[in-house]
Amino acid sequence: FVEGGRSDTTKLAARERRRLEQVLESYDADGDGSPDLLDEQGLVNRERFDAQGHRGARGLRPENTFPAFEAALDHLMTTLELDTNLTQHDVPIVTHDLRLEHHKCRRPRGARYTEAQEHLIHEMTVRGIRTYFVCDVLQEGFSEQSRELSDSPVSVAFARARRISSPYIVPTLAEVFDFVEFYATYYRSGAGSSREGAALRATNAERVRFNVELKRNPMNRALTADAPTFVREVLEVVDEANLRPRVDIQSFDFNTLIEMQRRASSIRTSYLFG
């Protein structure tokens, strides 16, 4: 998983990211003079190596937001790793936690709230989440993390086009799929098409995979939807976007993965331990 660099200094973080590039560029096991882990365009050969942007690129932008996914795509990750939970009305939204945690989110006008004021996401609506929360709080331990909108031009353009109040709202899973398509168009034929490396960014986004974690806690499954509901709603969003061939499903809750395998055996599943 590539998080964009977690270090005490920007210089060290940049060196860590460059290390991956050097490995990919230098690995030539068959000795033919061409890197085995890159394709003819210079992109990562996803049949041989999977570079995942963890929660987007949480070392560079607040996690699981449009700007975080934009940063991961900018770094040509082959897979976007992300987390999902279901709202009160069973809409899959992208967030790592069962609650909107006070150290990651704030009120739209900037006010902070306390842990005691956190509510279960499964008890909230999308409208309520959008009205009362923006999740752009910078995290300790990520020296390069930024929330400056100038760093995320595609996210800004997407929010404007979709009439979303902020690029740092909690996105739905459907919106993340839409955003990746928007990103590809932005660099293929839109405002970013004249930028250096635009064609590579567009090509990578057009085929990027999604590693979607279903956040069911096997120690307390009552905190979110039941497994059949969770799988049904996520699978519906995946199918609406026609993305089954590009989606993996992971979870710590094995009942959820078994249900996914029963409903969609072609989708790869990953069993998480912790």
Side-chain angles (χ1 to χ4, degrees):
F1 291 99
V2 174
E3 299 183 349
R6 178 188 298 195
S7 67
D8 294 330
T9 67
T10 299
K11 184 176 180 180
L12 177 58
R15 189 165 71 236
E16 290 172 346
R17 290 200 303 277
R18 179 58 182 160
R19 187 180 306 153
L20 172 61
E21 297 173 5
Q22 290 172 336
V23 169
L24 297 175
E25 293 168 357
S26 63
Y27 189 79
D28 180 21
D30 56 13
D32 66 352
S34 298
D36 297 346
L37 302 180
L38 299 178
D39 63 19
E40 64 280 358
Q41 300 179 78
L43 292 171
V44 177
N45 185 337
R46 63 202 59 234
E47 299 300 321
R48 296 186 173 186
F49 193 94
D50 188 18
Q52 299 202 10
H54 189 206
R55 305 183 200 175
R58 69 170 181 163
L60 297 178
R61 309 286 182 267
E63 65 185 43
N64 283 317
T65 61
F66 297 127
F69 298 121
E70 179 176 350
L73 291 170
D74 288 349
H75 283 79
L76 304 178
M77 294 294 99
T78 58
T79 297
L80 300 181
E81 193 270 354
L82 54 93
D83 308 282
T84 58
N85 201 341
L86 298 191
T87 66
Q88 183 182 92
H89 297 143
D90 294 329
V91 177
I93 65 169
V94 177
T95 178
H96 177 264
D97 308 302
L98 298 178
R99 296 174 173 82
L100 292 182
E101 298 193 352
H102 66 287
H103 65 280
K104 296 180 181 178
C105 306
R106 61 175 175 83
R107 304 300 187 190
R109 295 186 178 180
R112 303 298 296 274
Y113 57 96
T114 66
E115 183 176 0
Q117 294 172 303
E118 296 175 357
H119 298 284
L120 281 175
I121 289 170
H122 195 49
E123 296 174 350
M124 305 174 68
T125 65
V126 173
R127 182 177 180 181
I129 292 170
R130 296 283 175 85
T131 300
Y132 297 110
F133 300 96
V134 175
C135 295
D136 65 352
V137 178
L138 301 181
Q139 302 295 293
E140 293 184 5
F142 295 101
S143 62
E144 286 189 280
Q145 198 178 65
S146 167
R147 62 184 176 207
E148 294 298 325
L149 294 182
S150 59
D151 295 329
S152 307
V154 184
S155 299
V156 171
F158 181 79
R160 184 182 300 117
R162 298 296 191 273
R163 297 183 178 181
I164 294 171
S165 60
S166 167
Y168 283 104
I169 53 91
V170 178
T172 66
L173 180 59
E175 286 172 336
V176 171
F177 291 157
D178 287 345
F179 173 77
V180 173
E181 184 176 353
F182 184 93
Y183 178 101
T185 301
Y186 183 93
Y187 283 109
R188 177 69 68 195
S189 58
S193 59
S194 62
R195 292 187 54 178
E196 182 179 357
L200 278 181
R201 289 185 177 189
T203 298
N204 185 67
E206 287 165 351
R207 66 189 194 186
V208 74
R209 295 187 62 85
F210 303 88
N211 187 13
V212 181
E213 181 174 347
L214 277 54
K215 299 299 292 189
R216 292 197 76 231
N217 185 346
M219 303 301 292
N220 192 342
R221 296 187 176 98
L223 296 179
T224 187
D226 59 81
T229 300
F230 211 142
V231 169
R232 183 188 69 239
E233 297 301 326
V234 168
L235 191 56
E236 182 176 313
V237 174
V238 170
D239 284 343
E240 285 179 354
N242 195 29
L243 283 174
R244 279 200 192 194
R246 291 166 56 188
V247 166
D248 301 326
I249 299 293
Q250 61 179 349
S251 183
F252 286 94
D253 184 61
F254 294 179
N255 289 340
T256 302
L257 295 174
I258 292 170
E259 179 68 18
M260 178 61 71
Q261 291 173 328
R262 186 182 71 81
R263 289 176 177 262
S265 60
S266 65
I267 293 181
R268 299 192 305 190
T269 51
S270 298
Y271 287 70
L272 303 180
F273 296 80

